[in-house]
Structure formats: C-alpha cells, structure tokens
Amino acid sequence: MSLAADAVVLLVALIHVYILVLEMFLWDTPRGRKAFGLKPDFAAATKVLAANQGLYNGFLAAGLLWGLSQGAAGLAVKVFFLLCVLVAGVYGAATASRKILYIQALPAALGLLLLWLA
C-alpha cells in the first residue's frame, strides 16, 4: 500500500509542477488561457499575480518530492504538504472553480487516505 501512496503523492507533485508551468510561463498563451478559461486582456493584466501563484504551487511540489525522497522517514512531510494541497484545493473550489476540487483536493485526499492505510 505504501507504493500506491507514494505513487499518488508523486502524481500530486507532478500536477503541481504542471500548474507551476501553466501559471508562471503559459498564463497568457492560448494553452494557459484555455486551462483557466481566461480572456486575453485579463490574462495579460494578471500575469504577474499568476506567476506568484505558480511559485507557491512549485513549493507544494517541492515539499512533496522532498517527502518522497526521505522514504519512510518522510511521512510527516508528505502528510503536511498533502494537507496544504487539500486545504488549497477546497478553498480554490469554494472561491474560484469547482474543478479545483477534483484536480487538487481529491488527489491530495486520496494520497492522505493511502498514507494512513499504509
């Protein structure tokens, strides 16, 4: 079960690396605008704010990867960063888009469940 838990933790980390790329580098491109449902003028006006959000998503990914690199000793690190992702996902779903619940919060919750069962 710990292999499955670590696989989900890795998936969550990779999702956040992808979000980092979208927010920091692709925000005002057709791909970034499509991912977030943005109009070109809004994307251009919020590009710096999005890059800041992307950086925070990168920190979440880094924390999860750090926890994975520690093996069994990284359990607390993985739990902490998954909880951060879960809270961010629930907040994002409540304030920005329900889609965030499925993209961020649900995988984090699954990872936490699998870590608890392992």
Side-chain angles (χ1 to χ4, degrees), residues 17-73:
V17 168
Y18 182 65
I19 294 170
L20 173 148
V21 170
L22 283 172
E23 291 178 339
M24 292 190 80
F25 306 111
L26 302 176
W27 184 257
D28 61 348
T29 68
R31 185 173 184 172
R33 290 194 315 266
K34 182 180 178 190
F36 296 103
L38 306 174
K39 294 183 178 178
D41 57 331
F42 181 81
T46 58
K47 185 175 181 174
V48 173
L49 294 172
N52 189 51
Q53 288 177 181
L55 186 61
Y56 284 99
N57 278 291
F59 291 139
L60 292 172
L64 292 168
L65 294 171
W66 174 40
L68 285 170
S69 75
Q70 301 300 308

Side-chain angles (χ1 to χ4, degrees), residues 1 8 10 22 33 36 45-46 49 52 54 58 63 71-72 79 82-83 87-89 93 96 102 108 115:
M1 189 64 83
V8 172
L10 179 61
L22 283 172
R33 290 194 315 266
F36 296 103
T46 58
L49 294 172
N52 189 51
V79 168
L82 285 173
L83 285 169
V87 170
Y102 305 107
L115 286 173

Side-chain angles (χ1 to χ4, degrees), residues 18-19 35 59 63 75 86 89 101 112:
Y18 182 65
I19 294 170
F59 291 139
L75 176 63
L86 179 62
L101 188 66
L112 286 165

